Amino acid sequence: MSALLAVQRGVALCRRPELRTLMLEGPDRVRFLNGMLTQDVRALSAGRGAPALKVSAKGRIEASLRVRASEDRLFLEVRALRADKLLRTLEQHMIMDDCSIQDVSAARTVLTLLGPSSSSLLGSVLGAPVPALEPDASGPVIGGVNPPAGAIA
């Protein structure tokens, strides 16, 4: 089956090497990141994610990213081109915050499942049913990270 047919009729698994992952830990991680991004990070429950922007004080977009929540960490998936600057910027603003940030890209691979059979495939891998997800939704947390499921970019 061609890649296009797999996406249209079945499932396709895409490795996302263009993305790097930054991880925030610590009790102030949600409050800190909520003040740095356009997304309401406080509203994200464990196992959920959402798109966000990091903007400058003048409102210029510095990075477009996806923030994902687990029980005790936040993960930022950002294009490699912007990752180093975003990491430095966030580190510079962590003055009185009890949290830390690090690049965990070497230990984490971002994958995207595409196609109408994505949820059933992920459910069979997990051994539990996975509900159908809306496009651009975030899937369940596996091992402390959120793998994409459904039609997620």
Side-chain angles (χ1 to χ4, degrees):
M1 183 181 293
S2 75
L4 180 58
L5 282 177
V7 170
Q8 291 174 337
R9 298 183 188 163
V11 62
L13 176 67
C14 304
R15 191 169 164 271
R16 303 292 303 274
E18 78 281 10
L19 297 177
R20 291 202 4 223
T21 304
L22 306 179
M23 179 182 70
L24 283 90
E25 295 180 290
D28 292 343
R29 70 190 179 284
V30 172
R31 185 193 56 73
F32 169 74
L33 207 54
N34 200 62
M36 299 297 294
L37 302 178
T38 58
Q39 185 57 248
D40 183 5
V41 179
R42 295 171 301 185
L44 293 176
S45 58
R48 303 306 298 169
L53 296 173
K54 165 64 180 90
V55 296
S56 69
K58 293 185 177 187
R60 291 191 178 106
I61 297 173
E62 294 179 349
S64 174
L65 57 115
R66 174 164 298 283
V67 58
R68 298 186 188 275
S70 71
E71 289 294 332
D72 58 351
R73 297 177 182 135
L74 291 171
F75 296 91
L76 306 179
E77 293 169 358
V78 62
R79 297 219 177 255
L81 171 68
R82 301 280 185 217
D84 289 332
K85 183 175 182 192
L86 179 62
L87 179 63
R88 282 191 311 271
T89 301
L90 294 176
E91 284 175 329
Q92 290 170 353
H93 286 88
M94 284 182 190
I95 299 168
M96 298 294 290
D97 302 285
D98 189 6
C99 61
S100 63
I101 186 169
Q102 61 181 313
D103 187 334
V104 295
S105 303
R108 184 172 185 265
T109 299
V110 178
L111 302 172
T112 298
L113 286 176
L114 300 167
S117 300
S118 296
S119 293
S120 62
L121 175 65
L122 186 57
S124 66
V125 170
L126 296 175
V130 175
L133 300 171
E134 295 297 318
D136 207 39
S138 292
V141 175
I142 300 173
V145 296
N146 300 45
I152 302 169

